[in-house]
Coordinates of all heavy atoms in Angstrom, one line a residue:
A313 N 8.5 -10.8 -7.0 CA 9.0 -10.0 -5.9 C 8.6 -8.6 -5.9 O 8.3 -8.0 -4.9 CB 10.6 -10.2 -5.9
R314 N 8.6 -7.9 -7.1 CA 8.2 -6.6 -7.2 C 6.7 -6.4 -6.8 O 6.4 -5.4 -6.2 CB 8.4 -6.1 -8.7 CG 10.0 -5.8 -9.0 CD 10.0 -4.9 -10.2 NE 9.5 -5.5 -11.3 CZ 10.2 -6.3 -12.2 NH1 11.4 -6.6 -12.0 NH2 9.6 -6.7 -13.3
K315 N 5.9 -7.4 -7.3 CA 4.5 -7.3 -7.0 C 4.3 -7.4 -5.4 O 3.5 -6.7 -4.8 CB 3.7 -8.3 -7.7 CG 3.6 -8.1 -9.2 CD 2.8 -9.2 -9.9 CE 1.4 -9.2 -9.5 NZ 0.6 -10.3 -10.2
L316 N 5.0 -8.3 -4.8 CA 4.8 -8.5 -3.4 C 5.3 -7.3 -2.6 O 4.8 -6.9 -1.6 CB 5.6 -9.8 -2.9 CG 4.8 -11.1 -3.2 CD1 5.8 -12.2 -2.9 CD2 3.6 -11.1 -2.2
A317 N 6.4 -6.7 -3.1 CA 6.9 -5.5 -2.5 C 5.9 -4.3 -2.5 O 5.7 -3.6 -1.6 CB 8.2 -5.0 -3.2
R318 N 5.1 -4.2 -3.6 CA 4.1 -3.2 -3.7 C 3.0 -3.5 -2.6 O 2.4 -2.7 -2.0 CB 3.5 -3.2 -5.1 CG 4.4 -2.5 -6.1 CD 3.6 -2.1 -7.4 NE 2.9 -3.2 -8.0 CZ 3.5 -3.9 -9.0 NH1 4.8 -3.7 -9.4 NH2 2.8 -4.9 -9.6
G319 N 2.7 -4.8 -2.5 CA 1.7 -5.2 -1.5 C 2.2 -4.9 -0.1 O 1.4 -4.5 0.8
V320 N 3.5 -5.0 0.2 CA 4.0 -4.7 1.5 C 3.8 -3.2 1.8 O 3.4 -2.8 2.8 CB 5.6 -5.0 1.6 CG1 6.1 -4.5 2.9 CG2 5.7 -6.5 1.5
L321 N 4.1 -2.4 0.7 CA 3.9 -1.0 0.9 C 2.5 -0.6 1.2 O 2.2 0.2 2.1 CB 4.4 -0.2 -0.4 CG 4.2 1.3 -0.4 CD1 4.9 2.0 0.7 CD2 4.6 1.8 -1.8
A322 N 1.5 -1.3 0.5 CA 0.1 -1.0 0.8 C -0.3 -1.3 2.2 O -0.9 -0.5 2.9 CB -0.7 -1.9 -0.2
T323 N 0.2 -2.5 2.7 CA -0.1 -2.8 4.1 C 0.5 -1.9 5.0 O 0.0 -1.5 6.0 CB 0.4 -4.3 4.3 OG1 -0.2 -5.2 3.4 CG2 0.1 -4.7 5.7
A324 N 1.8 -1.5 4.8 CA 2.5 -0.5 5.7 C 1.7 0.8 5.8 O 1.6 1.4 6.8 CB 3.9 -0.3 5.2
L325 N 1.2 1.2 4.6 CA 0.4 2.5 4.6 C -0.8 2.4 5.4 O -1.2 3.3 6.1 CB 0.1 2.9 3.1 CG 1.2 3.4 2.3 CD1 0.7 3.5 0.8 CD2 1.8 4.7 2.8
V326 N -1.5 1.2 5.3 CA -2.7 1.0 6.1 C -2.4 1.1 7.6 O -3.1 1.7 8.4 CB -3.4 -0.3 5.8 CG1 -4.5 -0.6 6.7 CG2 -3.9 -0.3 4.3
L327 N -1.3 0.4 8.0 CA -0.9 0.5 9.4 C -0.6 1.9 9.9 O -0.9 2.3 10.9 CB 0.3 -0.5 9.6 CG -0.1 -2.0 9.5 CD1 1.2 -2.8 9.4 CD2 -0.9 -2.5 10.7
A328 N 0.1 2.6 9.0 CA 0.5 3.9 9.3 C -0.7 4.9 9.4 O -0.8 5.7 10.4 CB 1.5 4.5 8.3
A329 N -1.7 4.6 8.6 CA -2.9 5.4 8.6 C -3.6 5.2 10.0 O -4.2 6.1 10.5 CB -3.9 5.1 7.5
A330 N -3.7 3.9 10.4 CA -4.3 3.7 11.7 C -3.6 4.4 12.8 O -4.2 4.9 13.8 CB -4.3 2.2 12.0
A331 N -2.3 4.6 12.8 CA -1.5 5.2 13.8 C -1.9 6.7 13.9 O -1.9 7.3 14.9 CB -0.1 5.1 13.5
V332 N -2.1 7.4 12.8 CA -2.3 8.8 12.8 C -3.8 9.2 12.5 O -4.2 10.3 12.7 CB -1.4 9.6 11.8 CG1 0.1 9.3 12.2 CG2 -1.6 9.1 10.4
G333 N -4.6 8.3 12.1 CA -6.0 8.5 12.0 C -6.5 9.3 10.8 O -7.4 10.1 10.8
F334 N -5.8 9.0 9.6 CA -6.3 9.7 8.4 C -6.5 8.7 7.3 O -5.9 7.6 7.4 CB -5.3 10.8 7.9 CG -4.0 10.3 7.6 CD1 -3.6 9.7 6.4 CD2 -2.9 10.5 8.6 CE1 -2.4 9.3 6.1 CE2 -1.6 10.0 8.3 CZ -1.4 9.5 7.1
A335 N -7.3 9.0 6.3 CA -7.6 8.0 5.2 C -6.4 8.0 4.3 O -5.6 8.9 4.2 CB -8.8 8.6 4.5
L336 N -6.3 6.9 3.6 CA -5.2 6.7 2.6 C -5.5 7.3 1.3 O -6.6 7.4 0.9 CB -5.0 5.2 2.5 CG -4.6 4.4 3.8 CD1 -4.5 2.9 3.5 CD2 -3.3 4.9 4.3
G337 N -4.4 7.5 0.6 CA -4.4 7.9 -0.8 C -4.6 6.6 -1.7 O -4.5 5.5 -1.2
T338 N -4.9 6.8 -3.0 CA -5.1 5.8 -3.9 C -3.8 5.0 -4.2 O -2.8 5.6 -4.4 CB -5.6 6.3 -5.3 OG1 -6.8 7.0 -5.0 CG2 -6.0 5.2 -6.2
A339 N -3.9 3.7 -4.2 CA -2.8 2.9 -4.7 C -2.9 2.7 -6.2 O -3.8 2.0 -6.7 CB -2.8 1.5 -4.0
R340 N -2.1 3.3 -7.0 CA -2.2 3.4 -8.4 C -1.8 2.0 -9.1 O -2.3 1.7 -10.1 CB -1.5 4.5 -9.1 CG -2.0 5.8 -8.6 CD -1.4 7.0 -9.3 NE -1.8 8.3 -8.8 CZ -3.0 8.8 -9.3 NH1 -3.7 8.2 -10.2 NH2 -3.4 10.0 -8.8
Q341 N -0.9 1.3 -8.5 CA -0.5 0.0 -9.0 C -1.2 -1.1 -8.2 O -1.3 -1.0 -7.0 CB 1.0 -0.2 -8.9 CG 1.8 0.8 -9.8 CD 3.3 0.7 -9.6 OE1 3.7 0.7 -8.5 NE2 3.9 0.5 -10.8
R342 N -1.7 -2.2 -8.9 CA -2.4 -3.2 -8.2 C -1.5 -4.1 -7.5 O -0.6 -4.7 -8.1 CB -3.1 -4.0 -9.3 CG -4.0 -5.1 -8.7 CD -4.7 -5.9 -9.7 NE -5.5 -7.0 -9.2 CZ -6.0 -7.9 -9.8 NH1 -5.8 -8.0 -11.1 NH2 -6.7 -8.9 -9.2
P343 N -1.6 -4.3 -6.1 CA -0.8 -5.1 -5.4 C -1.3 -6.5 -5.5 O -2.4 -6.8 -6.1 CB -0.9 -4.6 -3.9 CG -2.3 -4.0 -3.9 CD -2.5 -3.5 -5.3
P344 N -0.6 -7.6 -5.0 CA -1.1 -8.9 -4.9 C -2.5 -9.0 -4.3 O -2.9 -8.2 -3.4 CB -0.1 -9.7 -4.2 CG 1.1 -8.9 -4.2 CD 0.6 -7.4 -4.2

């Protein structure tokens, strides 16, 4: 569940980046 939650955060960040048009920072923990 914790690993999947990290994956959710990664996806949410990508969607947010598309909304404002900037590149993402590094995800330091490996998501699923």
Side-chain angles (χ1 to χ4, degrees):
R314 286 197 299 269
K315 289 178 71 180
L316 279 169
R318 289 199 297 271
V320 175
L321 176 60
T323 302
L325 287 172
V326 174
L327 291 164
V332 297
F334 60 82
L336 298 175
T338 303
R340 296 186 181 276
Q341 293 177 310
R342 183 184 177 188

